[in-house]
Amino acid sequence: AVAVIVIFFMGLLSDLRSKIFPEFGVGVFFGTFNPMHKTHLKMIRDIISERNLTKVLIHPTVIPKLHRDALSKGEIEIGDRVAGMRVYRKTNKADVNVNYFPTGNMFYEYETRDFLLKRAIEEEGLAGKVEVLSYADIYAEKGFYGVMKKIKKKYKGMPIHGLHGS
């Protein structure tokens, strides 16, 4: 019973924080964007409008960490390339308890996703409000935390709003 009450109040605090948090600043949206789609664009438009954001920063991952680690361990491999996409497959070293492909096993190359992102933003008329970042080296070394540190330094003093989901 105590756990239920604690969880309830944590949820309530989260809801309350979303109501009192400043309605300006910068949004940050991480993901593979494989590819960017209408729901991503709607989320961006909604957060800009609802939070009166100056800008939304999008950071596509070069290769998801799960795949990078599994490739280095030989648990998965690039089995084929189809229509400009990498097709991953498990190897005999794969852990049977790991879902290596929660969003599918086909991924556009990073450069293709970057191009499609920028094109979609331009076509939606969001070019002045949305910027696609590419901190591949920072992400590879320090992950999302390293990228966020760079963003916080660049936008010092501004509230940072996270976007999540698809």
Side-chain angles (χ1 to χ4, degrees):
V2 174
V4 172
I5 293 170
V6 169
I7 291 171
F8 172 78
F9 279 108
M10 286 175 60
L12 187 63
L13 286 173
S14 177
D15 291 345
L16 188 66
R17 188 180 71 215
S18 73
K19 297 295 181 199
I20 63 173
F21 199 77
E23 292 190 4
F24 69 95
V26 177
V28 180
F29 200 178
F30 288 100
T32 55
F33 302 99
N34 185 45
M36 181 167 216
H37 49 73
K38 290 181 181 186
T39 304
H40 291 129
L41 293 166
K42 181 178 180 345
M43 289 174 63
I44 291 167
R45 281 192 306 273
D46 288 351
I47 193 82
I48 289 170
S49 172
E50 291 169 12
R51 287 288 167 184
N52 193 28
L53 298 184
T54 305
K55 183 169 276 206
V56 171
L57 306 170
I58 296 177
H59 191 280
T61 54
V62 175
I63 181 170
K65 185 177 186 319
L66 172 67
H67 293 169
R68 186 183 71 217
D69 293 348
L71 281 165
S72 71
K73 295 175 187 173
E75 297 168 340
I76 66 171
E77 63 187 5
I78 299 171
D80 203 358
R81 294 185 188 272
V82 176
M85 299 179 89
R86 292 179 183 179
V87 181
Y88 292 106
R89 67 177 175 219
K90 295 179 184 180
T91 69
N92 59 358
K93 292 182 180 180
D95 183 333
V96 296
N97 298 308
V98 174
N99 179 5
Y100 293 97
F101 313 114
T103 59
N105 69 329
M106 296 177 68
F107 281 82
Y108 286 105
E109 295 294 341
Y110 174 77
E111 294 78 14
T112 302
R113 288 182 285 123
D114 183 63
F115 173 80
L116 292 172
L117 268 168
K118 290 174 180 171
R119 186 69 185 202
I121 290 163
E122 183 181 308
E123 287 178 3
E124 285 293 311
L126 294 169
K129 285 280 195 179
V130 179
E131 180 182 346
V132 178
L133 304 177
S134 183
Y135 300 141
D137 293 342
I138 294 171
Y139 178 76
E141 185 180 330
K142 298 182 180 181
F144 295 120
Y145 298 107
V147 173
M148 284 303 300
K149 185 176 180 181
K150 183 163 180 79
I151 290 169
K152 286 178 181 180
K153 185 176 180 182
K154 183 175 181 179
Y155 293 95
K156 192 172 184 143
M158 292 189 80
I160 305 291
H161 302 259
L163 284 83
H164 181 11
S166 61

